[in-house]
């Protein structure tokens, strides 16, 4: 094949792969409407800002960025339980006050009136949300008390105050955010090798996977096209946290029965009922019922009055030797390690398996070391133990990778139109 033809064919192939990748992540079935919407993102005279959001069951984290800049201009965290009490929508409870905070504190916004803001500024947002995102760009979050619906298209249409700045709001699964965020990790500073030599064993073309416990339990995996690695990794969400939880001993068989009764399940409970902040609370509740003589009355009273922070109460007291809180933490962490081991078997992530989420850095003392409850369960895979031993395995020390990944997604949304045009020009 002549070199010019080969080069042209390769360029067209790369362009097609990029278009396909962008479509998978940010695509719309209505191509004409999508094109018109994308082109409208760049009206003359307006400065584009990016808003990244990491929306979990407990907290909503936001960051304001300039395009191409990793360092945020402003970050803020809202407690969902408090913010949503007296608000008519999720975006009125969180995004609207965040924009107002930006107007008061961000140098590029300070001193501008609301009218001037609307004529000079536009916002492209990506919210990484804990829940399955529907094709209509909406999600119903079950991990927020009484549930909460977030609708990206509704946010785009809202003209109430500074919410009118939003020209594009893309919702992605929270672990899509985690997945893209882990690509930004400094492996020398921000992770702990759980299997010695993991960094040296990373396959640069191999799949990656991420499992993270926080308020709930999330999972994702990433793949790269080996024929066009320059296009980078693409992340795929899943609901792996809701696979069946399997007891690992007689006491856990009793726990399984307790959880089935508590949640009205006939045959099974999900892993998230054990491996999460709320899961930790469930395990402690079971132990307190089974061993009433070992209950610490002061801590138990605090637990009963802690609302959605019950897991935190248990975790804060988990270092007390011989306590129910310590036993609950060991059960939860052991189940965590077992599920991460399951992910190793399912994805064979030779590009790296990352243990993230808010519970990971708080429980490193139970996760690090081959004799830890976590690693014992991770490696307890019978004939497949040697496979798990060969997977590069890391614990992530930072809790902001979801927010980092949401920024990457917002950047892609804002640049999709430009990127596709550039690649099409190169192909021609």
């Amino acid at each position: 094949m002549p070199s010019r033809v080969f080069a042209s064919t390769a360029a067209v192939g790369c362009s097609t792969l990029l278009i396909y990748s962008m479509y998978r992540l940010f695509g719309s079935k209505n191509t004409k409407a999508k094109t018109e919407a994308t082109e409208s993102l760049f009206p003359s005279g307006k400065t584009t800002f990016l808003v990244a959001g990491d929306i979990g069951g407990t907290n909503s984290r936001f960051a304001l960025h300039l395009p191409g800049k990793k360092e945020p201009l402003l970050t803020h965290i809202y407690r969902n339980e408090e913010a949503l009490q007296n608000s008519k929508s999720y975006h009125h409870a969180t995004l609207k006050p965040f924009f107002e905070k930006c107007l008061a504190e961000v140098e590029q916004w300070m001193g501008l009136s609301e009218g001037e803001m609307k004529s000079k500024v536009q916002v492209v947002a990506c919210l990484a949300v804990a829940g399955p995102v529907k094709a209509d760009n909406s999600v119903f979050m079950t991990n927020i008390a009484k549930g909460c619906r977030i609708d990206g298209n509704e946010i785009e249409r809202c003209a109430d105050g500074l919410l009118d700045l939003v020209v594009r709001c893309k919702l992605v699964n929270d672990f899509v955010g985690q997945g893209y965020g882990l690509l930004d990790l400094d492996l020398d500073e921000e992770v702990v090798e759980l299997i010695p030599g993991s960094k040296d064993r990373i396959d640069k073309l191999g799949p990656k996977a991420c499992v993270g416990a926080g308020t709930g339990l999330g999972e994702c995996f990433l793949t790269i096209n080996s024929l066009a690695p320059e296009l980078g990794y693409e992340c795929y969400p899943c609901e792996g946290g809701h696979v069946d939880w399997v007891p690992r001993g007689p006491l856990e068989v009793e726990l399984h029965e307790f959880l089935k009764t508590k949640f009205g399940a006939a045959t099974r409970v999900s892993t998230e009922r054990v491996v999460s902040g709320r899961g930790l609370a469930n395990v402690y509740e079971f132990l307190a019922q089974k061993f009433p003589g070992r209950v610490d009355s002061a801590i138990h009273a605090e637990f009963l009055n802690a609302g959605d922070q019950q897991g935190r109460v248990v975790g804060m007291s988990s270092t007390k030797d011989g306590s129910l809180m310590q036993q609950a933490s060991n059960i939860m962490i052991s189940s965590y390690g077992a599920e991460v081991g399951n992910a190793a078997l399912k994805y064979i992530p030779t590009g790296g398996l990352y243990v993230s989420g808010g519970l990971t850095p708080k429980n490193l003392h139970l996760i690090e070391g081959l004799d830890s409850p976590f690693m014992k369960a991770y490696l307890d895979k019978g004939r497949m133990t040697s496979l798990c031993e060969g997977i590069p395995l890391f614990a992530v020390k930072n809790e902001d990778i979801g927010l980092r990944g949401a920024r990457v997604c917002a950047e892609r949304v804002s640049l999709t139109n430009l990127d596709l045009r550039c690649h099409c020009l190169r192909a021609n």
Side-chain angles (χ1 to χ4, degrees), residues 148-356:
C148 176
R149 185 172 185 272
I150 303 175
D151 188 325
N153 297 336
E154 186 177 315
I155 294 172
E156 291 175 13
R157 292 191 297 267
C158 185
D160 188 0
L162 294 177
L163 287 170
D164 196 30
L165 300 177
V166 180
V167 294
R168 186 78 172 99
C169 181
K170 182 65 184 176
L171 304 187
V172 298
N173 178 267
D174 61 330
F175 263 73
V176 169
Q178 292 270 328
Y180 286 114
L182 66 85
L183 299 177
D184 192 47
L185 286 171
D186 182 339
L187 297 187
D188 292 324
E189 300 291 336
E190 297 180 312
V191 302
V192 174
E193 281 189 333
L194 296 181
I195 294 179
S198 286
K199 284 187 287 187
D200 296 332
R201 287 203 301 274
I202 291 176
D203 176 0
K204 293 181 180 180
L205 295 178
K208 298 178 184 289
C210 184
V211 180
T215 304
L217 177 65
E219 302 186 12
C220 68
F221 66 99
L222 301 89
T223 62
I224 194 168
N225 190 304
S226 59
L227 299 179
E230 68 276 7
L231 297 180
Y233 278 90
E234 185 173 358
C235 183
Y236 299 85
C238 71
E239 290 297 329
H242 294 284
V243 299
D244 298 350
W245 177 67
V246 179
R248 297 172 57 78
L251 183 63
E252 291 184 14
V253 170
E254 293 183 49
L255 171 60
H256 191 265
E257 293 301 313
F258 170 84
L259 293 173
K260 284 196 299 181
T261 300
K262 178 176 181 177
F263 294 107
T267 58
R268 51 88 68 187
V269 294
S270 70
T271 299
E272 186 180 72
R273 299 296 195 189
V274 175
V275 184
S276 64
R278 290 178 178 170
L280 179 59
N282 291 334
V283 177
Y284 169 80
E285 183 184 354
F286 160 71
L287 294 174
Q289 179 179 292
K290 181 171 177 60
F291 304 110
R294 293 172 55 199
V295 170
D296 183 311
S297 58
I299 293 174
H300 193 68
E302 184 182 358
F303 172 84
L304 293 175
N305 292 305
D308 67 352
Q309 296 295 298
Q310 287 184 325
R312 182 174 180 274
V313 171
V314 177
M316 292 284 286
S317 305
S318 63
T319 56
K320 187 175 180 181
D321 287 340
S323 67
L324 293 182
M325 293 74 72
Q326 184 181 64
Q327 187 175 5
S329 293
N330 284 336
I331 290 173
M332 187 272 288
I333 288 293
S334 176
S335 294
Y336 197 4
E339 177 55 23
V340 172
N342 292 339
L345 296 180
K346 287 183 284 189
Y347 302 119
I348 313 182
T350 55
L353 175 53
Y354 297 81
V355 187
S356 65

Side-chain angles (χ1 to χ4, degrees), residues 342-403:
N342 292 339
L345 296 180
K346 287 183 284 189
Y347 302 119
I348 313 182
T350 55
L353 175 53
Y354 297 81
V355 187
S356 65
L359 291 185
T360 298
K362 296 180 179 70
N363 291 279
L364 278 176
H365 62 291
L366 298 175
I367 294 175
E368 287 185 89
L370 296 180
D371 289 330
S372 69
F374 180 96
M375 287 304 299
K376 283 182 178 179
Y378 171 81
L379 293 170
D380 186 15
K381 295 302 178 188
R383 292 168 293 170
M384 290 291 105
T385 295
S386 60
L387 188 153
C388 292
E389 289 174 332
I391 298 297
L393 182 64
F394 306 93
V396 179
K397 296 189 290 184
N398 291 44
E399 294 186 45
D400 68 342
I401 63 170
L403 201 56

Side-chain angles (χ1 to χ4, degrees), residues 25-88:
L25 190 56
F26 304 115
S28 166
K29 292 181 179 179
N30 188 334
T31 306
K32 181 179 179 182
K34 176 65 178 175
T35 302
E36 290 172 353
T38 306
E39 289 175 347
S40 70
L41 291 182
F42 303 97
S44 176
K46 287 196 176 185
T47 301
T48 299
F49 289 82
L50 307 179
V51 166
D54 181 14
I55 319 302
T58 303
N59 298 311
S60 293
R61 297 176 171 86
F62 294 101
L64 182 74
H65 292 263
L66 282 168
K69 302 293 184 182
K70 289 186 178 182
E71 288 300 315
L73 299 170
L74 183 73
T75 61
H76 194 69
I77 300 175
Y78 295 92
R79 281 284 313 281
N80 293 331
E81 189 175 34
E82 297 170 3
L84 291 167
Q85 281 182 351
N86 300 304
S87 189
K88 59 184 180 181

